[in-house]
């Protein structure tokens, strides 16, 4: 049977995208991509048992980001094998992987494997080079093993708690804009939750603090150059300096 491989990801800063695409390429050199980072899908997508889908999201406050969860509900499976993948910034993934796995199963997917993978944290200087080459090679090997699991094999046991932990972000930072801004509008168009006003400066409370705008700003105008953020970032960098290893579940 010729299986079609697809990726579905919410990836504000590119870590999750890099990971799930490495996994997909290990199974098929050519694969479909559904990028749900910036806006919800225009229509529902239905997969069949002849598909294999790799879903990926980052972890925010130990949970699947609410916008990602809502957008994932546009994808339906029919006993479709899948992988659930979360990326997190070296603290812990808490209930996010279990939440993603449960959501996918409720949408008709069969869980072949799950992975909780370390990537660069949004704040501070935490695991800034990850996923590195070794991480991506391990991700590819995991994807191949999951894809080759025989039909009817037990699904993986995913750690986590139900009810899920509170996903409220208790430390929130809103990006600032310096006078270097050229009003190009890139940040407005690419914000995952449309939290940036047309003036390229105003930021609403819908902001996820993903810092996508900071990473992408061609003029370097978006920033978090405040004493409060710098102090927090230094503390957080020190707190999370010990490297955590990726976890794979088959």
């Amino acid at each position: 049977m010729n299986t079609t491989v697809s990726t579905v990801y919410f990836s504000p800063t590119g870590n999750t995208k890099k990971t799930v695409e490495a996994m997909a390429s290990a199974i098929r050199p050519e694969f479909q991509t559904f990028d749900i980072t910036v806006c919800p899908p225009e229509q529902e997508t239905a997969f069949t048992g002849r598909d294999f889908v790799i879903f990926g999201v980052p972890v925010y406050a130990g949970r699947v980001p609410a916008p990602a969860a809502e957008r994932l509900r546009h994808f339906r499976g029919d006993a479709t094998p899948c992988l659930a993948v979360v990326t997190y910034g070296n603290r812990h993934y808490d209930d996010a992987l279990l939440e993603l796995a449960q959501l996918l199963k409720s949408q008709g997917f069969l869980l072949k494997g799950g992975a909780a993978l370390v990537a660069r944290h949004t704040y501070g200087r935490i695991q800034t080079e990850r996923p590195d080459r070794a991480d991506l090679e391990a991700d590819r090997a995991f994807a191949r093993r999951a894809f080759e699991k025989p039909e009817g094999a037990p699904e993986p046991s995913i750690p986590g708690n139900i009810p899920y932990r509170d996903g409220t972000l208790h430390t929130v930072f809103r990006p600032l804009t310096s006078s270097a801004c050229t009003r190009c509008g890139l940040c407005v168009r690419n914000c995952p939750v449309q939290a940036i006003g047309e003036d390229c400066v105003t930021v609403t409370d819908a902001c996820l603090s993903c810092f996508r705008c900071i990473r992408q700003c061609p003029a370097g105008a978006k920033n978090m150059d405040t004493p409060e953020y710098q102090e927090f970032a230094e503390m957080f960098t020190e707190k999370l300096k010990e490297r955590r290893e990726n976890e794979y579940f088959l």
Side-chain angles (χ1 to χ4, degrees):
M1 182 174 66
N2 187 20
T3 302
T4 299
V5 176
S6 300
T7 62
V8 180
Y9 57 81
F10 181 87
S11 184
T13 56
N15 293 320
T16 305
K17 174 181 185 292
K18 182 186 297 185
T19 295
V20 299
E21 289 189 344
M23 290 182 175
S25 68
I27 301 170
R28 292 280 186 270
E30 295 183 358
F31 52 88
Q32 295 186 96
T33 294
F34 296 88
D35 183 352
I36 60 172
T37 306
V38 175
C39 57
E42 294 182 356
Q43 59 188 14
E44 187 172 283
T45 297
F47 294 101
T48 72
R50 297 183 63 182
D51 291 295
F52 188 91
V53 189
I54 305 172
F55 292 91
V57 301
V59 177
Y60 285 10
R63 297 285 301 278
V64 174
E70 183 59 35
R71 294 169 196 182
L72 287 173
R73 293 188 176 92
H74 287 78
F75 297 89
R76 294 276 176 183
D78 183 8
T80 306
C82 78
L83 297 181
V85 179
V86 298
T87 60
Y88 70 103
N90 206 52
R91 184 190 65 80
H92 203 280
Y93 55 94
D94 296 305
D95 300 330
L97 184 58
L98 178 62
E99 181 183 11
L100 177 59
Q102 294 294 326
L103 188 158
L104 296 176
K105 290 195 288 185
S106 73
Q107 296 291 107
F109 294 91
L110 295 178
L111 191 66
K112 289 289 188 177
L117 311 174
V118 177
R120 178 183 180 182
H121 200 288
T122 295
Y123 300 156
R125 302 181 308 282
I126 302 165
Q127 300 297 307
T128 57
E129 303 303 318
R130 300 182 75 186
D132 57 26
R133 182 177 298 180
D135 290 328
L136 294 174
E137 187 50 49
D139 295 343
R140 295 185 188 101
F142 161 74
R144 287 191 290 264
R145 292 197 305 272
F147 181 73
E148 293 166 0
K149 278 181 69 173
E151 187 174 347
E155 71 173 36
S157 177
I158 304 297
N161 299 287
I162 297 177
Y164 307 130
R165 64 172 285 153
D166 176 17
T168 303
L169 287 170
H170 297 290
T171 303
V172 178
F173 295 104
R174 301 284 185 253
L176 306 175
T177 307
S178 76
S179 59
C181 178
T182 64
R183 306 295 191 271
C184 71
L186 184 68
C187 59
V188 178
R189 295 189 297 273
N190 285 354
C191 177
V193 288
Q194 295 78 53
I196 302 176
E198 292 297 325
D199 62 358
C200 298
V201 175
T202 305
V203 179
T204 73
D205 287 343
C207 175
L208 295 175
S209 300
C210 70
F211 291 5
R212 179 181 175 95
C213 56
I214 295 177
R215 304 277 171 81
Q216 292 188 349
C217 181
K222 290 293 182 187
N223 68 87
M224 274 310 312
D225 297 336
T226 68
E228 293 78 11
Y229 173 74
Q230 297 300 332
E231 181 179 350
F232 176 85
E234 288 297 326
M235 178 277 294
F236 215 45
T237 299
E238 178 64 22
K239 183 178 180 179
L240 301 182
K241 67 181 180 180
E242 297 299 327
R243 176 187 172 103
R244 289 180 63 93
E245 297 303 328
N246 297 327
E247 296 181 48
Y248 302 95
F249 305 92
L250 285 171

